[in-house]
Amino acid sequence: MSRPDHRRHLLFDRDLLHAGAVAGAACALSAGLVYLGYFVHVVRIARDAPCVPAHGECLLVFGKHVPGGHLDDEFSARVARAAEVWRHRAPRRLLLLGGSAPGQPSEAEIAHAALLSHGVSADTSLLLEKESRDTLQNLRNARDLLTQAAHEGRVTLLSSRYHLARCALFARQLGLDSELCAAEPALRWNLALFKRIAGEAAYVCCADLGTRWARLIGHRRMLARVT
């Protein structure tokens, strides 16, 4: 499924609409304070995330939509950070995440080729997750692959700073013991980043409050999506 098709599918997903309605009501009834709290949360994680993992035994590198297969600055930063982590203290396993539209190279395959160009050894223990189209699918499929590989212990989630709060939320919901690693050396504000973080705050708000609500009312189908 192409990314536009995937997004259109999500727009009409009844569980996501349910979660969005709950989050929207909470934000409206609090005069926006609930959303502000999530915005601050996303900013804090983006600002404070380290660039060097404390454990780093298994490194999960999140992909990014790359039309035409050409890495943009954000995806390039993720790959460069993964290569630097590998040079500093090579993890026992690298897991590259991200699928693609039919007939196109996956985000994981593109990241793999880029890592090799950065000098990462071809015999590094690598797993490629090539089926997912969003962050939740990234981590759900990664969990399955790690289970098959009999991996135990903490995993490092490497992505762009603005994206890390979402990664951490879904990892926690899926039962993954994780730490964060930021692609960029520091958070540098500009209009594009502000929009990114504003969007992430809305996404994290919806996902977190929707999950809490599903637990409260015992909505098994909604919970099955995120656990």
Side-chain angles (χ1 to χ4, degrees), residues 3-213:
R3 183 169 293 265
D5 287 341
H6 178 68
R7 288 179 172 174
R8 281 192 291 269
H9 173 75
L10 294 179
L11 284 175
F12 298 100
D13 186 292
R14 58 181 174 172
D15 292 336
L16 294 182
L17 292 173
H18 188 165
V22 170
C27 291
L29 291 171
S30 67
L33 290 178
V34 167
Y35 172 78
L36 180 61
Y38 280 99
F39 184 90
V40 171
H41 170 70
V42 172
V43 170
R44 283 177 174 170
I45 289 181
R47 180 194 64 198
D48 297 339
C51 294
V52 179
H55 294 81
E57 294 182 356
C58 180
L59 185 64
L60 276 61
V61 183
F62 287 83
K64 188 174 183 293
H65 183 45
V66 282
H70 302 295
L71 277 69
D72 62 9
D73 290 343
E74 289 179 7
F75 203 170
S76 295
R78 298 178 193 184
V79 170
R81 179 64 63 194
E84 184 174 339
V85 169
W86 180 85
R87 285 191 293 268
H88 176 72
R89 188 178 66 188
R92 288 191 300 172
R93 181 173 289 112
L94 274 171
L95 178 48
L96 308 179
L97 308 174
S100 65
Q104 301 294 322
S106 69
E107 296 168 15
E109 290 169 326
I110 292 169
H112 184 201
L115 279 172
L116 294 179
S117 72
H118 276 274
V120 173
S121 174
D123 60 5
T124 299
S125 179
L126 272 169
L127 291 173
L128 273 64
E129 184 285 303
K130 301 184 286 186
E131 304 299 326
S132 60
R133 301 302 289 153
D134 58 42
T135 304
L136 180 57
Q137 290 180 1
N138 285 162
L139 287 168
R140 184 182 295 281
N141 293 351
R143 183 180 63 177
D144 293 343
L145 288 172
L146 291 173
T147 298
Q148 294 169 18
H151 173 82
E152 296 181 356
R154 183 166 296 180
V155 297
T156 303
L157 310 178
L158 193 164
S159 192
S160 304
R161 287 184 177 274
Y162 71 81
H163 185 226
L164 289 174
R166 191 199 314 192
C167 298
L169 172 64
F170 287 148
R172 184 170 65 252
Q173 291 177 340
L174 292 169
L176 292 170
D177 179 17
S178 65
E179 63 179 352
L180 301 177
C181 180
E184 307 89 348
L187 192 66
R188 294 187 175 88
W189 284 100
N190 53 46
L191 181 58
L193 178 62
F194 180 84
K195 291 179 179 178
R196 286 282 197 184
I197 287 182
E200 287 294 314
Y203 197 106
V204 171
C205 174
C206 181
D208 188 35
L209 292 183
T211 301
R212 292 173 187 270
W213 174 254

